[in-house]
Each structure stands twice: as structure tokens, then as C-alpha cells.
Amino acid sequence: MTPRRAADDRRPLGDRLAAYVLIAPAAVVLVVFRLWPLLLGVDFSFTGDGDQDGTPVGFGNYSELLHDPYFRIALRNVGWLVVLLPVAVAIPGLLATFIFLKVPGHRLYRSVYFFPAVLSPVIVGSIFNLLLSYDGPLNKLLAAVGMAPVDWLGDSKTALFTVVGVHIWATFGMALVVFLAGFATLDPSLLDAARSDGASLVQLIRHVIVPGLSRTIQFVFVTTMIGLLTSMFGLLYVMTSGGPGGSTTLPEYYVWIQQGQMNRPALASAASTVLFLIMLVVGLGQIAILRRSGRED
Amino acid sequence: MKQRALWSVAVVAALALTGCGSAAGGDKTSNSGGKLVVWDWKSGDKTAANYIAKAKADFARKHPGVTVEFVNQPFDQYYTLLGTAIQSGKGPDVMMFNGGGQIRDRVNALVPLDAYVAQDRQRLAGWDAFSKDGKIYGAPVTLQGHPIYYNKSLYKQAGLDPEHPATTWDGFVKDCGTITKATKATCFALGNKEGIGIQFWLSGMGSGILSPQEYDDWIAGKRDWTSPDVKKIFDLWKQANDAGLNNKGANSTAMFTDIFSVFDAGKAADIIGLMSDIGHWKDFGDFLKPENVGVMTAPVVTAGAQPSLPYDGGIGYAVANWTKDPAVAADLVRSLTSTDALSAFYVDAGAIASDTTISTASAGPAVGTIVSELKAGKPALHVALSSKTLDLMGKLSQQILDGSVGVDDALRQLAASDKA
């Protein structure tokens, strides 16, 4: 027994208990309202639906998910979101750069760019439903320049990209603000030095701004990924209902449909568990990235 | 020090107790004999106020001591909320259902009503949609079906006889061409954003394509997805769209309720609509004037088909099996389907009520046609399918329209889902 433990033992019992008592409320809340329901959900996913309610079915629900082409589409769409992530980060990054470099009217743009971030997804979705409808303004514009109209939300080849585009439009204001905060920490003398050495705008971004902002960029990557995976529901609900042909279904939307419309709560639990595992992997990956960038300091 | 520790214990204990209390102290009132709780998505409508008041009054005469509380739920969340209630075995005593898959999927949570509603069997129509395996689980309030409505003034403008629309598919398509040429209106108003357009198409056009034998077999559960006539229904779905008979962007136009306004505005000559709730003769009549709304039977595509009006029980009320006294709850369901209450619903909301004794003589010509076709009508084809197959059919129908799935592939998937 180490001397420290011995010292602990000499303290009165009440004192030693106090520490546990004090963390108990937080721990109880976590266990009762987070961990326990999570375990119940995972447990529930191994039971059947309908006539088989409550009876164990092993991995039956999971194999059904695996064989459901529309769940596979939902997973593939998650893959698309990861592919589109750099675009979602590059847009606010680039615009923030322009504002930082004080393009004409940058004060106005700073507030205009942030404006969509305060709108609810339902309102944004409704606005774009009108703009993107087949006989809507965007297609009229295309027709005016002699291009064929596109059924933005009604064609399974374009719908996901349309909705992600609207999501980026609606949320990039937040990332822009984070970027601008990052720029505030950038050393202006480095920029001046590069400029007086005759660096072009592209060289300036490539060799001065991006390295100086690496931690900000990583942070925006993490928050944008979380936003794409967890807050698209409102837009999907209003704009496409997961269609056409399931092409804009994401796992959380799939869960909602199975639970609410199809009366398959156990199958929905299985899908939730899969979504949880995906989020766990993404989350752990992001923590690793953040840790590494923290160490660079 | 000891005192502080004791205090913390006391605080935590108090928190835990109140926490438990609020979690466990859920909706106990709904099970008490003195009160019945009803869930639906209609009682909040202004047009249903009179109906609910009459039903309540009727029930109060029979059970003066029992109070009734209606909880109006939002329809798009209704089955999600109900699912949670069923999962926990606690919730409303009486609840509203759509006929068909929605109630059949949930009969485990319901009381068979056969013994209670025996006297109403003759008076009301539409029981099949609320039955499963020979037992009745709900009483129909409205009838829901899919008449093909047409805009008589567009027919007139195009120089066609508005009282005698074409009865064959070829004639129908020809008329459409004439109308589009003269008025720029498209043939069909089609909204398939939710994947519901195909359900209306299947049921609205089906009786003009399937032979009477095939039709009855389909309803009886003997569905042959490989038959040429079934394939024809889906081929025509594709062809009609490719030939430009539908409005543009059908996959991105919502059935509820964007597409109805396309028909209301005279931008389309025909629409497969509903009989009750919305998208029906009363809604269309408000915009186009009642005398301009016509109802036609399905145009005949295959020789030998006998077009009929597809309809079933629309919405109805059922009794939960956790209710304390099923007989009292069943009496409330009977009050909700009494002639007096249902005629109020018909007059105010324009619903085709399930009660066959209500006179509809005073309404426009469209409702007259619908009611006259009820006798020869048959259950709608899509109502016979499970909600899982309907969901799949909705997705596939969108993929057929945008060309990412072929008709044969879609039929193969539907056959597999229907068998499961």
C-alpha cells in the first residue's frame, strides 16, 4: 500500500464518500438518461416487430438492413457527404479569405453571408422548393440562356447534390465566422512580407493563409461534418421526403420512416445502432485529428 | 464535514425521487372509467366541429357520467406518436385510423368490435378496410376512393362534349391532345413527390386495365405481378409521363397539396383525386364551380375490363385494448358513426360519409356521380397492399419516372415485397 493510499484511509468515511456523492448527480443523469436508453435501444434491436414483438431474433434486423437496397442507398449517401465535405469547407474558407483581404464591399458581405444561418431549415427548404420547382425561377433563368430545365429535386441523379448545396448555403455563415476569427490570429506582417516579395493571390493563400489557419480549418472540418450528418433532417423532410426513389435518404431519415410510418420500431433501433456506430467512428477520428493538431502547438 | 456529505445525499435522494416521480407518473387518467381520451387528426378542423359536437352529445345521452376528451394530433406525426403509445401500452382509449395497412399493421393493440357494432353493419359501408382475418377492428367514418375528376370547362373550350368524356384509353389520350392544343393544359395533374401518385394511378386506372377476375383475385390476395395486365398499369405510368401527358416535374411536386392547386387553376384537364378529406369534389368545386367538375370512370385499356369506382372505408375509429371498459369505448365509436354526426360531417367537410342512408341529392353533379357508382364499386387496388410494399412502390414509381429503374425490375421487387 502506498503512503498516499494510507493517508486517504485515515480520513473520515464521510469525507471520502463526499467525492462520490458530489459526482453522483452528473453520473446518474448520464447513466439513466444516456447510457441506459442506449443499451435498451441496442437490446431492442435484437427483437422482432409486429407478431414477433419482444421475441429475440438475433441479427435478423441487421441482415434485413443489409439486404434493404434503400438502407444501402442511405449509407452510400453518407459516403457522398464525406466526399462533399471539402466543398462545404472550402466555400466559407474562400469567402472569408476575400473578406479578410478587404475586397470592395466586404463589410456588407460579412453580414449578408451570415444571414441564412439564422433561418430555420423548414423556412430555407420552403424557399428553395419554390426557387427550384420545375417551373420555378431558376429553370426560367436556364431557359433564358438557352439551357434545358432541370428537375432539381425530382431527379434521383441531382436531388442529393441540390439538397446538400442548399444545406451549405444555409449553414456556411457559421463556418465563415469561425474562419474570420481564425484570420484575426494571423500575423499581418507575414502577409505583408509575402506581398512585398511579389506573391500572387493563389500563392498567398497556398503558402501563408492555409498553413497559418490549419487548426481553424480542422475545427471547421469537424463541425461541418457533424452538421451534415445530424442536421439535414429538416431540409430533407421539407424538400424531398427522402426521394425520389430514396436518393436523398440519410440514415436518420430512414430510422424515422421505419419507426413512424412502417411501424417497425425494432428495425429502426437496428438502423439507429448502425448510425451510432458510424458516428462513433467519425467522432473518434475527429477527436484524434483534434488531439494531433493540439499537440502541434 | 460529515454534515455536508449528508446534505449531498439528501439532495441527490430528493432529485432521484422527483425524477422517478415525473418519469413514472405518465398518462394514468386515460385508463380511468370516468374519462375517455380520443386521438385523431380531424377534431381540430373547423369543418369537423359540428360532427364532434353531435357525436359527443349522442354519447353523453348514453353515458352521462363519462367525459370525453379529444386530442387533435398533427397527421404527419400521428402514427409516430401512436407507435410510441402502443409500445408503452398506454395512451388513448379510442383512436382514429386510416383504413387498410395502417390499421391492419396495428390490430395487436386493438379490441375486435364485431360484438359491439353488429347493428351498424348494414347502415355503414367500408368495413373491409377496417377488418383483418374476418374480425372488425374499426368503424368507418368516411369512404375514401379515387374517382377521375375532369375539368368540364377545359373540355368545352377544346370543343369536346363535357358530358360524355371518352371511355377508352385511346379516345382519352386523343381528347387530351385536343385539350392541350386548345388550352395549353396538360392531360393529368400528377404529384409524386411523396410517392403517392402511383397509388392513385394504380387504383384510379386499374379497373380499366385488369379483367374483373384479375381484379377480384388481387383484392383477395392472389396477386400475379407477372401478368401482362399488371405490367400494363406500370408501363402506362411510364408512357404517360414520357408522352408529356403529366405536368412537368411530377417527382418534385407534392400530392398534398401542391398538385390539387394545379388542377384548381385549370392547368390540367384531369386528376385522379380523392372522395373525402381533401383533393375532392368539394375542394375542386370551390375553385372551378361545382357544375364544372366532372367524374369519369377509368378509360378502358384492355378489352373485357369493367371500370368501377375504387373505394374503401377511409378513416374510422378503433378501440385500444388497454382501455378499462371496451364496451363504453365501443359505444363512443358508435356515437362517432351515428347518422346524425356523419351527416354533419358530410355537409361541413364534404366527406363522402360511410352512412349509406344520408341523402346527397342537394350537392353538385360530381358527388351525384360518385354516390351512384358506389354500389358497383370495388375496393381500391393499392389498399390491399401492405404499407411496406406501398412504400417500396412509391420509391420505385419515382425511379421509373426518372428512368433509373425499369418497369420489369420494379415489378420483380414489388412481387418479392408482396410475398414477404
Side-chain angles (χ1 to χ4, degrees):
Chain A
M1 195 178 275
T2 62
R4 216 175 129 219
R5 272 300 283 280
D8 277 354
D9 285 348
R10 276 197 302 276
R11 287 190 187 167
L13 181 72
D15 243 26
R16 270 182 287 146
L17 275 181
Y20 294 103
V21 171
L22 287 172
I23 61 158
V28 167
V29 166
L30 267 180
V31 170
V32 172
F33 293 110
R34 293 266 163 158
L35 286 176
W36 182 238
L38 185 72
L39 288 176
L40 282 181
V42 173
D43 181 51
F44 189 55
S45 73
F46 292 107
T47 63
D49 283 312
D51 293 341
Q52 288 185 299
D53 190 20
T55 52
V57 295
F59 283 89
N61 288 321
Y62 291 92
S63 86
E64 186 178 345
L65 281 182
L66 212 64
H67 290 102
D68 183 350
Y70 294 102
F71 188 70
R72 290 208 298 267
I73 290 179
L75 290 183
R76 191 196 66 198
N77 288 344
V78 171
W80 271 115
L81 292 185
V82 175
V83 172
L84 291 170
L85 183 60
V87 182
V89 174
I91 290 173
L94 216 59
L95 293 174
T97 308
F98 290 142
I99 290 174
F100 176 68
L101 295 175
K102 299 203 168 53
V103 294
H106 64 276
R107 274 173 215 284
L108 174 74
Y109 288 127
R110 199 166 49 188
S111 46
V112 167
Y113 287 156
F114 189 71
F115 177 66
V118 304
L119 294 176
S120 109
V122 176
I123 295 170
V124 172
S126 307
I127 293 171
F128 276 92
N129 268 349
L130 294 174
L131 290 178
L132 299 171
S133 68
Y134 197 89
D135 49 3
L138 186 62
N139 275 341
K140 290 222 170 84
L141 204 70
L142 286 184
V145 296
M147 288 168 74
V150 177
D151 197 359
W152 297 101
L153 296 169
D155 188 327
S156 50
K157 290 184 275 301
T158 58
L160 181 69
F161 303 102
T162 309
V163 179
V164 171
V166 172
H167 176 79
I168 293 174
W169 176 85
T171 56
F172 81 91
M174 272 305 172
L176 187 93
V177 170
V178 175
F179 270 119
L180 286 177
F183 276 117
T185 66
L186 209 61
D187 188 353
S189 59
L190 277 178
L191 283 173
D192 291 339
R195 277 208 191 97
S196 54
D197 284 346
S200 68
L201 179 66
V202 175
Q203 285 171 322
L204 204 65
I205 293 175
R206 168 82 182 76
H207 296 290
V208 181
I209 293 178
V210 170
L213 284 183
S214 66
R215 288 187 61 200
T216 309
I217 293 171
Q218 280 163 354
F219 177 76
V220 172
F221 255 99
V222 171
T223 50
T224 309
M225 189 69 224
I226 293 173
L228 277 173
L229 278 176
T230 60
S231 42
M232 292 265 287
F233 185 89
L235 275 186
L236 292 176
Y237 183 81
V238 174
M239 294 182 72
T240 63
S241 315
S247 63
T248 58
T249 303
L250 289 177
E252 56 172 345
Y253 198 84
Y254 182 92
V255 169
W256 181 77
I257 291 282
Q258 292 298 341
Q259 201 275 323
Q261 312 301 112
M262 299 290 112
N263 198 27
R264 299 289 311 274
L267 184 69
S269 286
S272 304
T273 308
V274 173
L275 178 61
F276 172 72
L277 291 177
I278 293 173
M279 295 299 282
L280 198 67
V281 170
V282 171
L284 287 177
Q286 287 172 339
I287 288 171
I289 291 172
L290 282 178
R291 269 217 191 110
R292 211 180 52 200
S293 67
R295 253 187 251 123
E296 279 167 10
D297 268 357
Chain B
M1 269 304 199
K2 200 162 201 172
Q3 189 111 29
R4 209 199 289 167
L6 282 176
W7 261 112
S8 329
V9 173
V11 169
V12 172
L15 277 175
L17 281 176
T18 50
C20 283
S22 65
D27 195 11
K28 286 213 179 92
T29 48
S30 65
N31 286 348
S32 73
K35 187 179 178 188
L36 289 175
V37 175
V38 184
W39 277 16
D40 61 20
W41 61 87
K42 279 282 166 215
S43 56
D45 292 3
K46 223 187 280 170
T47 50
N50 215 351
Y51 160 64
I52 298 292
K54 290 212 162 145
K56 266 185 167 173
D58 184 66
F59 182 72
R61 269 196 298 279
K62 292 185 227 161
H63 299 278
V66 183
T67 51
V68 180
E69 186 195 346
F70 280 85
V71 182
N72 189 55
Q73 307 280 16
F75 180 65
D76 51 0
Q77 294 292 319
Y78 185 77
Y79 288 106
T80 311
L81 295 166
L82 197 59
T84 314
I86 289 172
Q87 208 62 42
S88 65
K90 259 186 278 185
D93 303 278
V94 171
M95 59 266 220
M96 179 175 269
F97 273 104
N98 292 97
Q102 294 292 16
I103 189 166
R104 289 193 190 116
D105 286 353
R106 296 170 174 86
V107 292
N108 285 344
L110 304 177
V111 177
L113 296 179
D114 301 71
Y116 305 110
V117 297
Q119 293 173 51
D120 299 332
R121 291 297 299 275
Q122 281 307 311
R123 184 173 55 88
L124 303 181
W127 291 99
D128 284 354
F130 296 93
S131 307
K132 189 183 181 184
D133 302 331
K135 281 194 189 135
I136 293 171
Y137 291 94
V141 170
T142 64
L143 299 179
Q144 188 59 284
H146 301 281
I148 304 174
Y149 294 98
Y150 65 100
N151 185 334
K152 287 187 181 175
S153 61
L154 288 179
Y155 271 69
K156 259 178 264 174
Q157 281 173 50
L160 299 166
D161 179 1
E163 300 311 321
H164 298 96
T167 54
T168 63
W169 176 252
D170 291 336
F172 177 80
V173 173
K174 204 170 137 242
D175 285 359
C176 278
T178 316
I179 292 169
T180 305
K181 216 173 192 177
T183 67
K184 283 194 177 158
T186 60
C187 185
F188 285 111
L190 174 67
N192 200 38
K193 181 172 170 176
E194 309 95 326
I196 292 177
I198 185 71
Q199 300 178 16
F200 286 35
W201 177 266
L202 171 63
S203 290
M205 305 298 291
S207 67
I209 300 175
L210 301 186
S211 73
Q213 185 60 43
E214 274 179 317
Y215 198 106
D216 295 342
D217 284 350
W218 176 287
I219 300 298
K222 286 177 277 179
R223 290 182 277 277
D224 180 7
W225 292 89
T226 56
S227 98
D229 286 346
V230 172
K231 183 168 187 292
K232 188 89 199 165
I233 297 176
F234 290 85
D235 277 337
L236 274 188
W237 166 258
K238 171 82 174 152
Q239 285 164 20
N241 196 60
D242 291 351
L245 296 188
N246 300 327
N247 48 291
K248 299 277 184 196
N251 265 352
S252 54
T253 309
M255 173 73 82
F256 301 105
T257 55
D258 294 353
I259 201 59
F260 298 130
S261 48
V262 171
F263 184 72
D264 286 337
K267 287 188 201 158
D270 308 86
I271 188 168
I272 303 173
L274 293 164
M275 272 159 57
S276 300
D277 298 323
I278 51 168
H280 60 337
W281 50 275
K282 193 171 162 90
D283 279 1
F284 298 145
D286 286 347
F287 282 90
L288 301 173
K289 290 183 197 159
E291 64 269 23
N292 284 330
V293 181
V295 172
M296 66 168 89
T297 49
V300 175
V301 179
T302 25
Q306 284 171 14
S308 58
L309 178 71
Y311 79 96
D312 298 87
I315 53 175
Y317 285 98
V319 175
N321 61 11
W322 54 76
T323 189
K324 210 172 180 183
D325 189 347
V328 178
D331 265 351
L332 178 59
V333 171
R334 292 199 61 204
S335 294
L336 284 161
T337 50
S338 64
T339 304
D340 211 22
L342 289 178
S343 17
F345 200 32
Y346 157 69
V347 171
D348 294 346
I352 302 282
S354 58
D355 193 319
T356 50
T357 61
I358 296 174
S359 160
T360 54
S362 56
V367 71
T369 317
I370 291 172
V371 171
S372 72
E373 287 173 8
L374 283 178
K375 210 168 191 75
K378 290 182 175 182
L381 294 174
H382 78 269
V383 179
L385 301 174
S386 70
S387 42
K388 188 181 157 209
T389 304
L390 286 177
D391 182 62
L392 177 66
M393 185 167 76
K395 287 172 180 155
L396 289 170
S397 73
Q398 295 169 336
Q399 292 174 308
I400 291 174
L401 287 190
D402 74 17
S404 51
V405 165
V407 169
D408 290 319
D409 187 19
L411 287 171
R412 203 175 36 73
Q413 291 189 45
L414 286 169
S417 166
D418 195 28
K419 282 211 177 65

